[in-house]
Amino acid sequence: LLAIVITYLLMCSLFESFLYPFVIMLSVPPALAGGILGLAAVNAFVAYQPFDVLTMLGFVILIGVVLSNAILIVHQTLNLLKDDPGMDRRQAISQATASRVRPIFMTVTTTVFGILPLVLFPGAGSELYRGLGSVVVGGLVVSTVFTLLLVPTFLSLAMDVRDWALARVSGG
């Protein structure tokens, strides 16, 4: 929880907004659910893995990777809107998502296939890191789908709400 709070506050200072980091943080719950499902799958199909300190460390690693994927989409959208102020927001979000799908999939693919042998194959020390690997693999697989669907949707909604609130405050 402390890692999530610190990350949120850091992003608030970087984006100079409380709204965009909130949109980014909405990608964390699906990742946590995927991490729990990954741990449950390892317990059901591979071997029993207790919820230990290294498994909890897997959640911290997972949050970092998942947030970086969402940050890519939000940051690219804001850059497109800054570079071309006349661009429609939905077009900027769509273009940003399309241009960042490849880097996101490359990150997820290399991470998942790099950690998967740690989860699936027995060996010296594999039982020690199996929980960490299962959390990261399960969380990344689930969160990638949700990040590519939910972050653009919530970003568009957040921008609409921000414009509506600014119009209400300014009396327009």
Side-chain angles (χ1 to χ4, degrees):
L1 288 175
L2 185 61
I4 292 172
V5 170
I6 291 171
T7 304
Y8 177 76
L9 293 174
L10 178 67
M11 286 190 300
C12 285
S13 68
L14 291 174
F15 283 110
E16 297 176 353
S17 169
F18 288 107
L19 188 62
Y20 300 130
F22 181 73
V23 170
I24 293 168
M25 295 300 284
L26 289 174
S27 64
V28 172
L32 296 178
I36 292 169
L37 288 175
L39 189 60
V42 164
N43 282 334
F45 300 115
V46 179
Y48 174 71
Q49 178 60 47
F51 191 74
D52 56 3
V53 173
L54 287 175
T55 305
M56 287 185 256
L57 182 64
F59 281 104
V60 174
I61 294 168
L62 175 65
I63 290 169
V65 174
V66 167
L67 288 178
S68 69
N69 291 341
I71 288 171
L72 284 173
I73 294 172
V74 172
H75 188 261
Q76 182 66 20
T77 300
L78 295 176
N79 279 345
L80 288 172
L81 290 173
K82 185 177 75 174
D83 292 344
D84 185 8
M87 181 181 274
D88 180 50
R89 285 191 315 253
R90 285 172 179 72
Q91 181 186 4
I93 293 170
S94 175
Q95 190 175 347
T97 304
S99 70
R100 294 300 172 202
V101 166
R102 185 174 177 194
I104 289 172
F105 277 142
M106 287 170 43
T107 301
V108 169
T109 304
T110 56
T111 304
V112 166
F113 285 118
I115 294 179
L116 209 53
L118 186 68
V119 175
L120 297 178
F121 301 125
S126 67
E127 62 277 349
L128 184 64
Y129 294 107
R130 187 175 288 135
L132 182 144
S134 64
V135 165
V136 172
V137 168
L140 280 179
V141 169
V142 170
S143 73
T144 300
V145 174
F146 282 103
T147 297
L148 292 174
L149 296 175
L150 292 180
V151 169
T153 303
F154 284 132
L155 182 59
S156 176
L157 182 64
M159 289 179 166
D160 290 343
V161 167
R162 185 197 65 202
D163 289 347
W164 175 80
L166 289 174
R168 297 281 289 179
V169 167
S170 67

